[in-house]
Each structure stands twice: as C-alpha cells, then as structure tokens.
C-alpha cells in the first residue's frame, strides 16, 4: 500500500510501485484533469505540483510520491486560481487538452518567482506544448495575472 | 431548409436527449453536401435543428458539429441566440450524438459556419417571433407593439415578460412561415467577441475528453501495430505480456482493408493504461511486413522529383506555355520538396466502446461521428440504429480524428472480451501509424517578358493522393487535390498545371488545410523568386501578378475575388511596416492564399543571426466574409501561425524500410512558447457570406518565412523543414 496526498486528501493505493503517478491519478484514483500527452516527459500535459513545483507525472514512479503534497488541476491554490481567472479573461484554451499542464507549470513558476520576466516566462513555459498554438494568450494571461496580483 | 415546427407537445424528443417540458422548435436542414455526405431526404418530418427554451429561462441549443478547439460550440449557437435576442448567460449547449438526421456532421473542411449560418439565423428569428406572438396574445396587444430584448419581450407601454415565463403560452402556437432577420448593424453577438462557452471547464480539468471517459467495468487496451503500413501479424507470443501485473488478456485485432478500417495488430487488455502499455511492450510479435517495407523516404523523394521533371498529366492548359517560354525574356525554374507530416493532436486517438449483444455505445473524440457510427455498425454487422456515438471534447483533431479507425479497434476488442474497453494509443502509435499529410515534389517554371511581367507559368506536382486511402493503387491526385494549383488567382496569359505519378506507401489523409500546404508554399515562394528575377519589389510584383479586379469564373456560389486578395496582402504589408525602416538584420516576407473560400495574407518579420532564424512578428489579415465570433477567428489565426511555424521549423516524417523514423516530441518537434512570435490579426469588415476560418491561415506561414529569410540572407530554401538547413 502506498499513501498519496492529493489535493489535500489521502488516498491508499495498491499498485505496481513503478507505475507513474500520472496513471495512478487518472486510472486508479480517477482524477482525469491531468492529461496523458507523450509518456516521455516531453510535452508537459501531465504536469502536477509536487510540494509546489511542477513535475511531469508521467515520469514520477508512484513509490517516490509518499509524503509529498500533490496538487492536480482539480486542486485549489491561490496562484492556480488566480491564473485560471486570467485564463478565462484571455479566453486562452482552444481545444483545452494541454491547458491543465500549462496552468500547473505557470502556477509552479509563480510559486517560485512572483514577478517572472519575459525570458523567465519563455523558459518555464517551454516545458509545455500547445498544438493549437495558444502561446500568445498564455503569455498574456500570465502577465495579466502577475499585474493583478501586484495591484492587490 | 424545411419549415420550422413547434414540437413541444410531440414525441420527437427521444434520441435527441432533450427533456420534455419546454418550448421546443425543430426544423430540418437539407443543405449539406460534402465528400462524406450520407443524408437521406425523407418525406417525413425528421428534424435536425433544435432549440429548447425551458420555463426557468434556460435555453438549450444542440451542437451537431464536433468541438476540437475551433470554437464551434460557441460560434454557431451564438447565431441563434443573437437572432432570438437571448441572454448569452442562459445558453447551454448540448452535444449531438452521431446521427444522419443532423445532416453531415463531418467536422472538417472549415465549413460548419459556412453551412449553417443562415439556418441558425432563421431558427433564432423564428423562436423570437413565436415568443412575441405569445406575449402579445397574453396582453391582448398587437404583436407589432412588442419587441424582444435580452431574454424578455417588452411592450411599448413598458411592461415586460421573461422568455421562460412565455413557454407555456408558446407551446401551442403555430410557427410563422416567414420571419424577418435582423439587420447586421443590430447584431449583438455576431461579429463581436464572445468568450468560449466552455472556457471555465477547459481551464479546471472538468471537461471530458475521450481519454477521460470512464464507465463501470471498463478495461484499458493498448495495441501493437505492424511497424510497416498494411503489414500483418504472422505469429505472436503473449506469455510475457500476461505476466505483467494488471494485464488481463491478449487478443488479436483484425486488419480491415477499408479507408477507416483498423490496421490490425495485437491488443493487450489490462486494469489500467500503464499495465496495457507495459504488456504491449512485452509482446513478441512476428510480422509480415508486406510490400511497403520498401518505402524509404530519400529514394522516394528522388522518384517523385524525377516524375515532376518530365511531362505529366495535363490538368489545365491556358494559352501556350511552350510559346511563352520560347519567347520569354527570361525563364526560371525551381523544384520544391515537402515531407510527410503527422497531425499529433495533444490528445492521442482513443475510444471507449461497450458492445452488448446487438447494441453498441461509443464515447470518442471524433470529427466525423456518422462515419464512426457507420464503420462500427458495419463491423458488428448490425443496423446503425443499434449504435450510439457520444461525441466527447476533442483534444485537437486537425483531420486525424475524422478517421475513426481507432473506434473500430475498440469495438473489436469490446466484442472480443465481452465488456467495455478504452483503447489508448501511445504517442509513438500516433506518430508512427497516422494518416499522413502527403509528401510532395513540385516543379515550377516561369517566363518573364521584356517588361518583367509573368507571361508563362508551369506548375507540375506529384504526391501520393488521399484517394489511395480509399482506393488502393490510386497514384494521381484527385481533381479536388489539384484545385488550389489550378485556380491560382494570378493573371497570366499562358498557364499549364500538370500532375505526376506518386504511389502511396503509408495511409495518406487530410491534415489542417490539406493540399493548400504544398501548393501555397510553392506558389508563394515561386512568385517571390520571379519578383527577384524581374528586379521588382515582391509586394508590387505580386499585386501585378494577381492583376485586375475580377471574380473567379466558377459555378460555385463562392468565388475568389482578386480585389479582396490584393486588399488583404496590401493591408498585411502595411500593418507590418513593409517598406519602412526595420531593426538591423530584420526583413519582412509576404504570402497570400485563397482557400476554404477565405482570402488571407501574412507578413512575417524575421532575422537570421549567427545562422539562427528568429520569427519576430506575424501580421495576419483575413477576409472570411461575415465574422461570427471575432475572438474565435483571431484565435484560429494565432493557432494557424504556430501550426504553420511548427511545420516550417520541424515538420518531417520519414520512413526507412517502411518504418516511420520519428516517434515522439523529441524527434517530431513542435514549436514552443519561446519561439512564438508576436501575432497581430486584422479581420476585414464584411457582410458577405461567412467562409472558412479553421484551416486557411496555415498555408501562408511557411512561404512567408522562406521569403523573408531570402531577403535577409540571399538564400532560397526550397525544401522544409528549416531544421534540415540548420536554421533552427
């Protein structure tokens, strides 16, 4: 049995310890907001927050997740919710499939750096692929979110 | 369009998924024609367009087209809401199942709005008129004294009543035969900016894509396909796969030799996707690779290039190109080579299928739910009425999900194991077993007269045809695949379009903007080459080449308009600051293309520093007739720029001994945010019929980049991707 803490709730799972966190979240526990995109840590669709930092959940064996605080797109954190609001204002998603991962990566960036520069946004957000090409809106929404937070 | 009827008290609702109780108007739309048309015109009232207004004021509109990020659930429904003066916040969209009663649902060809705009307007106006009649009756006032405004009917005296409160009164009213449509100047949603109706659910993980569908007792399956297209299973050993924790069983998936038939292979069924993938990797399969094992991309490009360097099949001939070349002041020629592409939607192909006796229920991200229904019914040898196709959100489509082979795979597995299953392709499956965008060679020859005007134009191309997917052995382009070259809107007295032979060795399919990618590339780059040879400015030269104002000579209701084409090109150039001083080392390249009935131009500002290309800014100008949702159009143009840049920078699928050499995003790369340029979009104001938006922005991007690079470096890149030339 492995005990996972996801979105503040504990889950006991009995699975192959090498199973990546992604599949435990999606197929065993049943949160489907975290997406499968490539299975190789290349596209960022499967990003979750591990102790506040974005990781590719398709690359993280579940056995290494015990004692970690996992937040998925279904979770609630101040930065994630602020970004989601900004995402809606900029009407960012097209198909929307990659956006869970995009939002988690952006949340992680703001957790570590409340005022990212353009280059830092580019660097951090280049971990994620959007095939629909919503990049200009993602950038705009992140900058807007930072401005709003700095105002309040 | 058949007359709209009030069916609130009639038994049409079963199968639509609408609950009874509200005011429900329905109509039948018979205007769908396309490649995949399956409609049958019946003398019975068989409605396919529905509006339901409930007593609480909620308005339920049925979306019959698939949503894959192009915003159709928002744009089409907003047309009804606008005409009926509804409050957008009260609108709910219900996704239709796959059913021929909806007319053609094949969401491709950038045609949803084009086909349905007028019908949606009439439906909205009719609902509004019925509500006005109901209110006028209850107040005993003339209907002419009442108007609709933001979900209320208001009388000139000032009294008002909510739409929902009129439902009971309106239920028994006959609908008028003719209704007046709004004047475009009064549009409230059409031509404005509306956020996606799904934006919240698409940002919090709650939207259900095919991959997210879960039903009781569902198992997961991964399939090992033959590495070579159309190869077959010789033998397999499942022992190692069955040892994997979570693996339940292993079954063979039949190969069906049809356009949308499964490729065939060995499926591993498990309690979770991870176990299915691991089990699949553990399978030992011996394949009969078949004749496509001879497919090698380098040799193949040499073959089709040779085929365009000799006379081909003449598709079109105007004047005499031979005379033009023999009397030319100068002639130039160029050969363009573009590789296969894969769609690589972020959501891989997948489907949940539950076969139970004679019936079958499907949940899948499909662009063509009726094709899925037909293929599943054929496979099960049952009537289509026994098959329900629930359309989920699509995590990107780009043409891949118009081919439901993966749904038939899941059907075969569900039948074999006697229970529900979700088939999940890995990214490697997706990139290595796609319906690829075609690979092409194009030869162009142009003649310039003594004034530097183009007097002759020869365009000869060879590429494996999409027709080969439907009829094995087809090796010449179909008529529609030659159209974007034949109908080039240039004013040239002598023109010849020829096609050369090209055999298909993989499945060929349509990918966002399809054949306009190679044609748009060759035509736009060659026009730039001619301008250079003529010693003229590329913009002035191109405007002359398009020539005098005229409409396309065609029976089609839509015609290219050279005035519009010149206007978008000039506007893009002007918006980009073309001809004005630019930062050191920057240059602007131009391209303009007419496709899906839209006129679109791009002006792209690039630099090349230390041999590395940087795209700084892209200015897009689009004339797509009446703009329905400006924000959606803008988003589609932004997406087209990124899609076009991905294929220009990195897009290349190659085969060695029949096996696709790329497998995942490390060697089939996509543009990332760090390389995304500033994108500016201008939408030309127009009251003309709406035209395509999802695809026609793509073809102009790659040629505009190549033309800009030439201005910076003097080097002309006639093949893609640019990563092959070390530029990115």
């Amino acid at each position: 049995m492995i005990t996972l803490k996801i979105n503040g709730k504990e889950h006991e799972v009995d699975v192959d310890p090498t199973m990546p966190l992604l599949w435990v979240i999606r197929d065993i526990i049943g949160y489907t907001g975290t997406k499968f995109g490539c299975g190789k840590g290349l596209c960022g669709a499967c990003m979750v927050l591990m102790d506040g930092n974005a990781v590719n959940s398709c690359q993280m064996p579940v056995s290494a997740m015990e004692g970690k605080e996992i937040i998925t797109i279904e979770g609630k954190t101040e930065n994630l919710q602020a970004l989601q609001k900004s995402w809606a204002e900029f009407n960012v998603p097209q198909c929307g499939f990659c956006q869970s991962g995009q939002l988690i990566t952006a949340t992680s960036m703001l957790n570590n750096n409340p005022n990212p520069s353009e280059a830092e946004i580019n660097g951090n957000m280049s971990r994620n692929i959007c095939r629909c090409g919503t990049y200009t809106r993602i950038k705009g929404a992140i900058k807007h979110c930072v401005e709003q937070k700095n105002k309040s | 369009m058949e007359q709209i009827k009030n069916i609130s008290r009639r038994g049409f609702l079963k199968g639509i998924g609408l609950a009874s109780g509200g005011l429900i108007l329905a109509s039948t739309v018979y205007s769908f024609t396309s490649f995949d048309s399956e409609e049958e015109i019946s003398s019975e009232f068989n409605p396919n367009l529905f509006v339901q207004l409930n007593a609480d004021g909620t308005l339920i509109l049925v979306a019959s087209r698939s949503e894959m990020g192009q915003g159709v659930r928002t744009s089409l429904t907003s047309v009804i809401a606008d005409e009926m003066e509804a409050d957008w916040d009260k609108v709910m969209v219900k996704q239709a199942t796959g059913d021929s009663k909806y007319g053609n649902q094949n969401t491709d060809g950038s045609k949803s709005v084009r086909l349905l705009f007028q019908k949606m307007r009439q439906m909205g106006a009719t609902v509004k008129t019925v509500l006005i009649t109901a209110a006028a009756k209850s107040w005993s006032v003339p209907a002419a004294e009442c108007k609709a405004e933001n979900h209320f009917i208001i009388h000139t005296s000032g009294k008002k009543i909510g739409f929902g409160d009129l439902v009971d009164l309106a239920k028994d009213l006959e609908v008028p035969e003719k209704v007046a449509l709004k004047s475009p100047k009064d549009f409230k949603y059409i031509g404005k900016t509306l956020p996606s109706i799904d934006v919240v659910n698409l940002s919090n993980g709650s939207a259900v894509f095919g991959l997210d569908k879960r039903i009781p007792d569902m198992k997961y399956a991964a399939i090992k396909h033959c590495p070579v297209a159309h190869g077959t299973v010789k033998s397999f050993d499942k022992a190692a796969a069955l040892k994997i924790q979570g693996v339940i069983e292993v079954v063979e998936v039949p190969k069906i030799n049809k356009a949308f038939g499964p490729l065939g292979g060995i499926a591993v069924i498990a309690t979770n996707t991870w176990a299915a993938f691991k089990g699949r990797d553990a399978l030992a399969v011996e394949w009969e690779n078949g004749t496509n094992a001879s497919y090698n991309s380098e040799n193949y490009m040499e073959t089709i290039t040779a085929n365009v360097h000799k006379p081909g099949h003449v598709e079109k001939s105007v004047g005499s190109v031979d005379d033009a070349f023999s009397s030319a002041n100068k002639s130039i020629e160029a050969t363009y080579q573009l590789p296969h592409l894969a769609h690589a939607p972020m959501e891989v192909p997948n489907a949940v299928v539950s076969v139970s006796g004679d019936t079958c229920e499907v949940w899948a991200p499909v662009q063509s739910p009726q094709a899925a229904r037909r293929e599943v019914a054929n496979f099960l040898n049952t009537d289509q009425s026994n098959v329900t196709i629930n359309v989920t959100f699509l995590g990107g489509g780009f043409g891949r999900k118009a081919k439901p082979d993966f749904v038939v795979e899941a059907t075969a597995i569900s039948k074999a194991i006697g229970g529900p299953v979700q088939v999940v392709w890995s990214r490697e499956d997706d990139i290595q077993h796609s319906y690829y965008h075609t690979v092409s060679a194009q030869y162009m020859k142009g003649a310039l007269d003594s004034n530097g005007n183009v007097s002759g134009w020869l365009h000869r191309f060879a590429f494996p045809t999409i027709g080969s997917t439907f009829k094995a052995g087809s090796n010449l382009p179909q008529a529609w695949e030659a159209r974007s070259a034949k109908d080039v809107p240039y004013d040239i007295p002598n023109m010849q379009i020829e096609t050369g032979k090209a055999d298909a060795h993989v499945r060929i399919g349509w990918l966002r903007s399809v054949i306009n990618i190679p044609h748009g590339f060759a035509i736009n780059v060659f026009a730039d080459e001619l301008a250079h040879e003529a010693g003229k400015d590329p913009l002035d030269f191109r405007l002359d080449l398009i020539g005098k104002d005229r409409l396309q000579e065609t029976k089609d209701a839509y015609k290219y308009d050279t005035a519009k084409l010149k206007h978008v090109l000039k506007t893009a150039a002007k918006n980009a600051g073309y001809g004005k001083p630019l930062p050191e080392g920057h240059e602007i390249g131009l391209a303009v293309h007419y496709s899906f009935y839209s006129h679109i131009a791009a002006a792209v500002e690039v630099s090349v520093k230390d041999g590395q290309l940087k795209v700084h800014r892209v200015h897009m100008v689009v004339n797509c007739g009446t703009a329905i949702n400006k924000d959606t159009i803008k988003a589609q143009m932004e997406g087209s720029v990124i899609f076009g840049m991905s294929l220009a920078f990195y897009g290349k699928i190659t085969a060695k001994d029949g096996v696709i050499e790329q497998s995942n995003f490390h060697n089939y790369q996509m543009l990332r945010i760090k390389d995304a340029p500033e994108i500016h979009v201008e939408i030309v104001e127009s009251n003309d019929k709406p035209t395509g938006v999802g695809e026609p922005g793509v073809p102009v991007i790659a040629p505009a980049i190549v033309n800009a690079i030439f201005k910076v470096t003097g080097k002309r890149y006639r093949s893609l991707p640019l990563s092959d030339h070390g530029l990115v």
Side-chain angles (χ1 to χ4, degrees), chain B residues 598-616:
Chain B
S598 288
H599 301 74
I600 294 186
V604 177
E605 182 180 332
V606 313
S607 65
V608 183
K609 206 173 161 190
D610 302 325
Q612 290 303 290
L613 171 69
K614 171 97 184 147
V615 176
H616 297 274

PDB file of all heavy atoms in Angstrom, chain B residues 598-616:
ATOM      1  N   SER B 598     -11.740  31.642 -48.134  1.00  0.00           N
ATOM      2  CA  SER B 598     -11.271  32.839 -47.427  1.00  0.00           C
ATOM      3  C   SER B 598     -10.006  33.385 -48.078  1.00  0.00           C
ATOM      4  O   SER B 598      -9.202  32.642 -48.638  1.00  0.00           O
ATOM      5  CB  SER B 598     -10.983  32.501 -45.955  1.00  0.00           C
ATOM      6  OG  SER B 598     -12.200  32.292 -45.274  1.00  0.00           O
ATOM      7  N   HIS B 599      -9.864  34.706 -47.980  1.00  0.00           N
ATOM      8  CA  HIS B 599      -8.703  35.397 -48.538  1.00  0.00           C
ATOM      9  C   HIS B 599      -7.808  35.794 -47.374  1.00  0.00           C
ATOM     10  O   HIS B 599      -8.246  36.539 -46.486  1.00  0.00           O
ATOM     11  CB  HIS B 599      -9.142  36.653 -49.291  1.00  0.00           C
ATOM     12  CG  HIS B 599     -10.102  36.396 -50.422  1.00  0.00           C
ATOM     13  ND1 HIS B 599     -11.436  36.071 -50.219  1.00  0.00           N
ATOM     14  CD2 HIS B 599      -9.915  36.415 -51.766  1.00  0.00           C
ATOM     15  CE1 HIS B 599     -12.023  35.908 -51.395  1.00  0.00           C
ATOM     16  NE2 HIS B 599     -11.133  36.107 -52.354  1.00  0.00           N
ATOM     17  N   ILE B 600      -6.567  35.307 -47.363  1.00  0.00           N
ATOM     18  CA  ILE B 600      -5.697  35.516 -46.200  1.00  0.00           C
ATOM     19  C   ILE B 600      -4.276  35.863 -46.638  1.00  0.00           C
ATOM     20  O   ILE B 600      -3.736  35.268 -47.574  1.00  0.00           O
ATOM     21  CB  ILE B 600      -5.687  34.264 -45.297  1.00  0.00           C
ATOM     22  CG1 ILE B 600      -7.091  34.071 -44.694  1.00  0.00           C
ATOM     23  CG2 ILE B 600      -4.621  34.376 -44.202  1.00  0.00           C
ATOM     24  CD1 ILE B 600      -7.218  32.982 -43.676  1.00  0.00           C
ATOM     25  N   ALA B 601      -3.687  36.846 -45.955  1.00  0.00           N
ATOM     26  CA  ALA B 601      -2.294  37.201 -46.217  1.00  0.00           C
ATOM     27  C   ALA B 601      -1.512  37.241 -44.914  1.00  0.00           C
ATOM     28  O   ALA B 601      -2.073  37.506 -43.846  1.00  0.00           O
ATOM     29  CB  ALA B 601      -2.214  38.568 -46.904  1.00  0.00           C
ATOM     30  N   ALA B 602      -0.222  36.966 -45.030  1.00  0.00           N
ATOM     31  CA  ALA B 602       0.674  37.052 -43.875  1.00  0.00           C
ATOM     32  C   ALA B 602       1.889  37.888 -44.246  1.00  0.00           C
ATOM     33  O   ALA B 602       2.414  37.779 -45.356  1.00  0.00           O
ATOM     34  CB  ALA B 602       1.130  35.668 -43.437  1.00  0.00           C
ATOM     35  N   ALA B 603       2.311  38.743 -43.321  1.00  0.00           N
ATOM     36  CA  ALA B 603       3.582  39.462 -43.442  1.00  0.00           C
ATOM     37  C   ALA B 603       4.391  39.068 -42.213  1.00  0.00           C
ATOM     38  O   ALA B 603       3.964  39.290 -41.077  1.00  0.00           O
ATOM     39  CB  ALA B 603       3.341  40.965 -43.476  1.00  0.00           C
ATOM     40  N   VAL B 604       5.530  38.457 -42.454  1.00  0.00           N
ATOM     41  CA  VAL B 604       6.311  37.854 -41.368  1.00  0.00           C
ATOM     42  C   VAL B 604       7.669  38.536 -41.266  1.00  0.00           C
ATOM     43  O   VAL B 604       8.411  38.601 -42.247  1.00  0.00           O
ATOM     44  CB  VAL B 604       6.492  36.334 -41.621  1.00  0.00           C
ATOM     45  CG1 VAL B 604       7.362  35.712 -40.543  1.00  0.00           C
ATOM     46  CG2 VAL B 604       5.138  35.639 -41.673  1.00  0.00           C
ATOM     47  N   GLU B 605       7.976  39.054 -40.080  1.00  0.00           N
ATOM     48  CA  GLU B 605       9.263  39.736 -39.864  1.00  0.00           C
ATOM     49  C   GLU B 605      10.235  38.782 -39.185  1.00  0.00           C
ATOM     50  O   GLU B 605       9.939  38.251 -38.117  1.00  0.00           O
ATOM     51  CB  GLU B 605       9.041  40.976 -38.986  1.00  0.00           C
ATOM     52  CG  GLU B 605      10.310  41.772 -38.748  1.00  0.00           C
ATOM     53  CD  GLU B 605      10.057  43.005 -37.868  1.00  0.00           C
ATOM     54  OE1 GLU B 605       8.927  43.536 -37.880  1.00  0.00           O
ATOM     55  OE2 GLU B 605      11.007  43.394 -37.163  1.00  0.00           O
ATOM     56  N   VAL B 606      11.379  38.560 -39.833  1.00  0.00           N
ATOM     57  CA  VAL B 606      12.361  37.619 -39.284  1.00  0.00           C
ATOM     58  C   VAL B 606      13.748  38.263 -39.229  1.00  0.00           C
ATOM     59  O   VAL B 606      14.006  39.297 -39.855  1.00  0.00           O
ATOM     60  CB  VAL B 606      12.475  36.321 -40.137  1.00  0.00           C
ATOM     61  CG1 VAL B 606      11.105  35.754 -40.467  1.00  0.00           C
ATOM     62  CG2 VAL B 606      13.283  36.546 -41.406  1.00  0.00           C
ATOM     63  N   SER B 607      14.640  37.625 -38.481  1.00  0.00           N
ATOM     64  CA  SER B 607      16.067  37.909 -38.573  1.00  0.00           C
ATOM     65  C   SER B 607      16.808  36.579 -38.576  1.00  0.00           C
ATOM     66  O   SER B 607      16.259  35.566 -38.156  1.00  0.00           O
ATOM     67  CB  SER B 607      16.530  38.771 -37.396  1.00  0.00           C
ATOM     68  OG  SER B 607      16.397  38.057 -36.187  1.00  0.00           O
ATOM     69  N   VAL B 608      18.017  36.604 -39.089  1.00  0.00           N
ATOM     70  CA  VAL B 608      18.874  35.415 -39.025  1.00  0.00           C
ATOM     71  C   VAL B 608      20.207  35.876 -38.453  1.00  0.00           C
ATOM     72  O   VAL B 608      20.951  36.624 -39.094  1.00  0.00           O
ATOM     73  CB  VAL B 608      19.083  34.769 -40.420  1.00  0.00           C
ATOM     74  CG1 VAL B 608      19.925  33.503 -40.300  1.00  0.00           C
ATOM     75  CG2 VAL B 608      17.746  34.460 -41.088  1.00  0.00           C
ATOM     76  N   LYS B 609      20.447  35.482 -37.221  1.00  0.00           N
ATOM     77  CA  LYS B 609      21.654  35.927 -36.531  1.00  0.00           C
ATOM     78  C   LYS B 609      22.503  34.712 -36.190  1.00  0.00           C
ATOM     79  O   LYS B 609      21.967  33.747 -35.627  1.00  0.00           O
ATOM     80  CB  LYS B 609      21.238  36.666 -35.240  1.00  0.00           C
ATOM     81  CG  LYS B 609      22.245  37.677 -34.762  1.00  0.00           C
ATOM     82  CD  LYS B 609      21.663  38.455 -33.592  1.00  0.00           C
ATOM     83  CE  LYS B 609      22.781  39.123 -32.810  1.00  0.00           C
ATOM     84  NZ  LYS B 609      22.283  39.684 -31.565  1.00  0.00           N
ATOM     85  N   ASP B 610      23.765  34.751 -36.530  1.00  0.00           N
ATOM     86  CA  ASP B 610      24.649  33.597 -36.318  1.00  0.00           C
ATOM     87  C   ASP B 610      24.020  32.323 -36.891  1.00  0.00           C
ATOM     88  O   ASP B 610      24.099  31.247 -36.289  1.00  0.00           O
ATOM     89  CB  ASP B 610      24.959  33.395 -34.823  1.00  0.00           C
ATOM     90  CG  ASP B 610      25.598  34.637 -34.195  1.00  0.00           C
ATOM     91  OD1 ASP B 610      26.367  35.316 -34.906  1.00  0.00           O
ATOM     92  OD2 ASP B 610      25.284  34.943 -33.026  1.00  0.00           O
ATOM     93  N   GLY B 611      23.367  32.489 -38.036  1.00  0.00           N
ATOM     94  CA  GLY B 611      22.777  31.330 -38.706  1.00  0.00           C
ATOM     95  C   GLY B 611      21.486  30.840 -38.093  1.00  0.00           C
ATOM     96  O   GLY B 611      20.923  29.836 -38.540  1.00  0.00           O
ATOM     97  N   GLN B 612      21.000  31.537 -37.058  1.00  0.00           N
ATOM     98  CA  GLN B 612      19.778  31.082 -36.393  1.00  0.00           C
ATOM     99  C   GLN B 612      18.596  32.001 -36.707  1.00  0.00           C
ATOM    100  O   GLN B 612      18.672  33.220 -36.527  1.00  0.00           O
ATOM    101  CB  GLN B 612      19.994  31.003 -34.876  1.00  0.00           C
ATOM    102  CG  GLN B 612      20.936  29.879 -34.475  1.00  0.00           C
ATOM    103  CD  GLN B 612      20.471  28.505 -34.963  1.00  0.00           C
ATOM    104  OE1 GLN B 612      19.487  27.974 -34.474  1.00  0.00           O
ATOM    105  NE2 GLN B 612      21.171  27.947 -35.953  1.00  0.00           N
ATOM    106  N   LEU B 613      17.531  31.366 -37.168  1.00  0.00           N
ATOM    107  CA  LEU B 613      16.323  32.100 -37.554  1.00  0.00           C
ATOM    108  C   LEU B 613      15.524  32.504 -36.327  1.00  0.00           C
ATOM    109  O   LEU B 613      15.355  31.720 -35.387  1.00  0.00           O
ATOM    110  CB  LEU B 613      15.461  31.186 -38.439  1.00  0.00           C
ATOM    111  CG  LEU B 613      14.050  31.677 -38.768  1.00  0.00           C
ATOM    112  CD1 LEU B 613      14.095  32.886 -39.692  1.00  0.00           C
ATOM    113  CD2 LEU B 613      13.229  30.553 -39.395  1.00  0.00           C
ATOM    114  N   LYS B 614      15.014  33.740 -36.364  1.00  0.00           N
ATOM    115  CA  LYS B 614      14.069  34.162 -35.330  1.00  0.00           C
ATOM    116  C   LYS B 614      12.888  34.827 -36.045  1.00  0.00           C
ATOM    117  O   LYS B 614      13.076  35.727 -36.866  1.00  0.00           O
ATOM    118  CB  LYS B 614      14.768  35.150 -34.386  1.00  0.00           C
ATOM    119  CG  LYS B 614      13.847  35.840 -33.403  1.00  0.00           C
ATOM    120  CD  LYS B 614      13.857  35.158 -32.043  1.00  0.00           C
ATOM    121  CE  LYS B 614      12.854  35.819 -31.109  1.00  0.00           C
ATOM    122  NZ  LYS B 614      12.242  34.863 -30.179  1.00  0.00           N
ATOM    123  N   VAL B 615      11.690  34.351 -35.744  1.00  0.00           N
ATOM    124  CA  VAL B 615      10.490  34.999 -36.285  1.00  0.00           C
ATOM    125  C   VAL B 615       9.991  35.963 -35.208  1.00  0.00           C
ATOM    126  O   VAL B 615       9.631  35.549 -34.110  1.00  0.00           O
ATOM    127  CB  VAL B 615       9.404  33.957 -36.639  1.00  0.00           C
ATOM    128  CG1 VAL B 615       8.132  34.658 -37.119  1.00  0.00           C
ATOM    129  CG2 VAL B 615       9.924  33.009 -37.717  1.00  0.00           C
ATOM    130  N   HIS B 616      10.036  37.251 -35.519  1.00  0.00           N
ATOM    131  CA  HIS B 616       9.711  38.255 -34.506  1.00  0.00           C
ATOM    132  C   HIS B 616       8.221  38.573 -34.460  1.00  0.00           C
ATOM    133  O   HIS B 616       7.633  38.633 -33.396  1.00  0.00           O
ATOM    134  CB  HIS B 616      10.495  39.550 -34.778  1.00  0.00           C
ATOM    135  CG  HIS B 616      11.978  39.355 -34.685  1.00  0.00           C
ATOM    136  ND1 HIS B 616      12.662  39.433 -33.508  1.00  0.00           N
ATOM    137  CD2 HIS B 616      12.895  39.039 -35.645  1.00  0.00           C
ATOM    138  CE1 HIS B 616      13.962  39.203 -33.721  1.00  0.00           C
ATOM    139  NE2 HIS B 616      14.121  38.953 -35.018  1.00  0.00           N
TER     140      HIS B 616
END
